[in-house]
């Protein structure tokens, strides 16, 4: 989710007309045994195609980040993004219509395709870069059944609550240190006659994902990392009381008509509001509070706001039940290959390097968990803070749960369940429907 990433979630406005219209396909061929990958595919012809969800300004910066390397290495990298990535990448792989490389916003989706033998194991140079640049946890997100299939790209820290420092100062509001204090602040703002929170779940085929981030934050903060890990593995089902409690806590804000949806309408407008739009409401002063990841820094800048502690917009982390809690969720992408020709391997190695991470982060708006990243290259105080959180050994970090779950759940029934819940469906029914999305094996 993530870009910083970006996230899956930064989706482009260009609709893809279907598999037949896609032009970035590598050589055709079926998948091979899981672990061995699909075998020799692709051709070293000076062109490497990449397919992902990163779009708009973020896509332009992505292409800028590797432009000098392209010239130096005489390889043309052709990038294509799509709103339908999650829905299409599986069918494209099955049809032999894959790009050379894909930027997976969800490790679970990568795992699905790796299990089916469509993805190349990481080449030696990528494996070396992963060993040098990433923690074992991050390497694990690119590993399926003990085989490394790619390397992390960018990263994001989730659970930031964006606000206007000057608005807080003018009204005498304090940054909350606990979840209960945040609820009290919400009521204080609501008592002025203004709805405090704005929210947007809209993201085309991925509509609903911002709601999953809310739930993940509350599961980690209320139930703890052990329950969170068991939930990801379905050892704790969605119908478990711990998960239901997290939903109910989120509902104290998102389902409260006195609290949402500032600048847009009633609670149900959350589903129809594109997730990027609240950035403008924040900058314009129509909304006091908005929950979104560190990558939202770029959206606020695009909306004309300065992200700084003494600027237009700043952020604090969603507080836990106790003050000073250090648990955070986050996300990122994994770059994996369908081809294994010389040019594709060269590009994949570069994207897994600290050189690329510093090149992209220096362009602004994003971060990386690469240990070779210089925090000084971050473009704002929030992004510097996010890098420090990722590099802090005391941080309890957990990857976005929906990105780790199998696609049928993570980007399937979980997304749809959030939409149904906001539309008024009964919580117990929603939880049962989400749980029913888990594969039988």
């Amino acid at each position: 989710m993530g870009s910083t990433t970006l996230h899956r979630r930064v989706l482009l406005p260009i609709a893809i007309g279907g598999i037949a219209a896609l032009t970035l396909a590598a050589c055709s061929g079926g998948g091979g045994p899981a672990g061995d990958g699909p075998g020799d595919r692709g051709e070293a012809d000076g062109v490497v195609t990449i397919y992902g969800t990163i779009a708009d300004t973020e896509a332009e910066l992505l292409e800028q980040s590797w432009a000098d390397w392209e010239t130096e290495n005489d390889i043309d990298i052709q990038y294509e993004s799509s709103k339908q990535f999650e829905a299409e990448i599986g069918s494209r792989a099955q049809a032999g219509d894959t790009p050379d490389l894909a930027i997976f916003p969800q490790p679970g989706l990568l795992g699905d395709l790796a299990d089916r033998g469509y993805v190349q194991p990481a080449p030696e140079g990528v494996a070396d870069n992963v060993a040098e640049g990433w923690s074992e946890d991050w390497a694990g997100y690119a590993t399926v059944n003990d085989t490394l299939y790619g390397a992390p790209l960018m990263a994001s820290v989730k659970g930031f609550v964006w606000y206007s420092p000057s608005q807080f100062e003018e009204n005498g509001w304090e940054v909350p240190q606990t979840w209960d204090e945040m609820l009290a602040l919400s009521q204080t703002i609501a008592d002025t006659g203004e709805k405090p929170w704005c929210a947007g779940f809209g993201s085309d085929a991925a509509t609903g994902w911002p709601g999953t981030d809310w739930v993940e934050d509350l599961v980690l903060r209320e139930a703890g990392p052990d329950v969170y890990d068991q939930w990801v593995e379905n050892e704790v089902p969605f119908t478990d009381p711990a998960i239901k409690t997290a939903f109910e806590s989120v509902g104290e804000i998102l389902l409260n008509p006195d609290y949402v949806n500032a600048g847009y309408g009633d609670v149900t407008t959350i589903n129809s509001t594109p997730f990027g739009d609240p950035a403008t409401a924040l900058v314009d002063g129509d909304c006091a509070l908005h929950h979104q990841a560190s990558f939202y820094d770029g959206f606020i800048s695009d909306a004309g706001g300065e992200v700084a502690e003494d600027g237009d917009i700043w952020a604090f982390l969603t507080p836990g039940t106790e003050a000073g809690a250090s648990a955070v969720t986050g996300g990122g992408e994994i770059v994996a290959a369908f081809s294994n020709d010389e040019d594709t391997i060269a590009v994949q190695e570069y994207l897994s390097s600290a050189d690329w991470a510093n090149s992209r982060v220096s362009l602004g708006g994003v971060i990386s968990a690469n240990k070779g990243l210089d925090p000084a290259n971050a473009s704002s105080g929030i992004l510097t803070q996010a890098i420090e959180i990722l590099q802090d050994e005391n941080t309890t970090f957990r990857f976005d749960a929906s990105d780790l779950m199998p696609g049928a759940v993570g980007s399937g029934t979980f997304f749809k369940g959030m939409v149904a819940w906001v539309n008024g469906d009964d919580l117990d029914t929603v939880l049962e429907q989400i749980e029913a999305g888990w594969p039988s094996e």
Side-chain angles (χ1 to χ4, degrees):
M1 130 164 33
S3 188
T4 143
T5 184
L6 304 216
H7 221 207
R8 53 181 161 237
R9 292 133 180 207
V10 183
L11 303 173
L12 89 178
I14 304 170
I16 301 300
I19 294 174
L22 294 171
T23 57
L24 298 184
C27 297
S28 62
D36 297 333
D40 288 337
R41 287 174 51 89
E43 180 179 351
D45 56 0
V47 176
V48 173
T49 59
I50 304 179
Y51 184 46
T53 61
I54 300 166
D56 303 330
T57 300
E58 300 290 346
E60 294 172 6
L61 293 172
L62 186 67
E63 294 181 293
Q64 187 177 341
S65 73
W66 60 51
D68 289 345
W69 186 91
E70 283 183 285
T71 301
E72 293 169 1
N73 291 275
D74 196 25
I75 294 176
D76 178 19
I77 301 174
Q78 297 182 0
Y79 176 69
E80 178 185 8
S81 59
S82 172
K83 298 177 181 179
Q84 307 299 324
F85 178 91
E86 289 97 335
E88 289 187 344
I89 191 63
S91 57
R92 287 186 63 172
Q94 191 170 11
D97 187 27
T98 52
D100 295 313
L101 293 167
I103 301 175
F104 287 88
Q106 299 151 310
L109 185 56
L110 167 62
D112 289 345
L113 295 185
D115 266 341
R116 294 157 64 187
Y118 291 121
V119 182
Q120 301 282 358
E124 182 177 356
V126 171
D128 290 344
N129 284 343
V130 171
E132 179 180 354
W134 273 273
S135 68
E136 290 184 4
D137 285 344
W138 279 93
Y141 302 137
T143 301
V144 182
N145 296 329
D146 298 326
T147 298
L148 180 72
Y149 281 95
L153 191 68
M154 293 176 279
S156 65
V157 172
K158 300 197 169 190
F160 278 110
V161 177
W162 300 85
Y163 71 100
S164 163
S166 62
Q167 186 184 37
F168 267 48
E169 183 175 359
E170 290 167 5
N171 291 280
W173 301 335
E174 299 287 340
V175 170
Q177 302 302 310
T178 66
W179 177 259
D180 285 345
E181 288 182 10
M182 193 161 77
L183 292 178
L185 172 63
S186 301
Q187 187 58 50
T188 296
I189 299 173
D191 288 343
T192 69
E194 300 293 334
K195 296 179 180 180
W197 291 88
C198 52
F201 284 7
S203 189
D204 297 295
T207 291
W209 71 259
T212 67
D213 285 359
W214 269 100
V215 172
E216 291 155 4
D217 276 346
L218 269 297
V219 171
L220 182 61
R221 285 162 173 74
E222 292 182 339
D226 290 342
V227 170
Y228 189 95
D229 294 342
Q230 292 165 4
W231 176 46
V232 168
E233 296 295 330
N234 200 31
E235 295 169 3
V236 169
F238 275 86
T239 51
D240 186 274
I243 310 306
K244 182 177 180 181
T245 297
F247 269 81
E248 291 171 336
S249 294
V250 174
E252 290 182 278
I253 291 176
L254 291 186
L255 299 188
N256 188 331
D258 293 331
Y259 291 178
V260 293
N261 193 8
Y264 298 99
D266 62 16
V267 168
T268 60
T269 63
I270 292 174
N271 285 332
S272 59
T273 300
F275 76 92
D277 283 12
T280 300
L282 278 167
V283 173
D284 291 346
D286 296 329
C287 166
L289 300 166
H290 179 64
H291 176 275
Q292 192 49 272
S294 56
F295 70 78
Y296 219 58
D297 177 288
F299 284 76
I300 292 167
S301 297
D302 286 348
E306 178 191 8
V307 178
E309 195 164 8
D310 58 353
D312 301 314
I313 302 294
W314 191 237
F316 58 87
L317 280 173
T318 299
T321 55
E322 303 291 336
S326 59
V328 298
T329 58
E333 309 91 358
I334 307 295
V335 178
F338 294 97
S339 303
N340 65 345
D341 61 88
E342 181 179 351
D343 291 346
T344 298
I345 290 173
V347 173
Q348 192 179 12
E349 286 185 6
Y350 175 60
L351 294 179
S352 66
S353 70
D355 287 344
W356 179 84
N358 280 290
S359 173
R360 175 61 192 91
V361 170
S362 66
L363 296 174
V366 302
I367 60 173
S368 168
N370 191 305
K371 291 184 284 189
L373 173 63
D374 183 353
N377 285 329
S379 59
S380 77
I382 280 293
L383 296 180
T384 299
Q385 185 181 122
I387 293 172
E388 291 171 348
I389 289 170
L390 291 175
Q391 295 180 343
D392 187 345
E393 294 181 353
N394 294 317
T395 296
T396 299
F397 178 85
R398 288 296 184 273
F399 204 95
D400 182 303
S402 66
D403 289 347
L404 294 175
M405 294 173 181
V409 185
S411 58
T413 55
F414 199 0
F415 286 6
K416 293 177 181 176
M418 296 308 303
V419 171
W421 187 48
V422 164
N423 279 337
D425 284 10
D426 171 73
L427 178 55
D428 287 327
T429 301
V430 167
L431 295 174
E432 290 170 2
Q433 290 175 341
I434 297 174
E435 182 63 24
W438 277 90
S440 57
E441 295 182 358

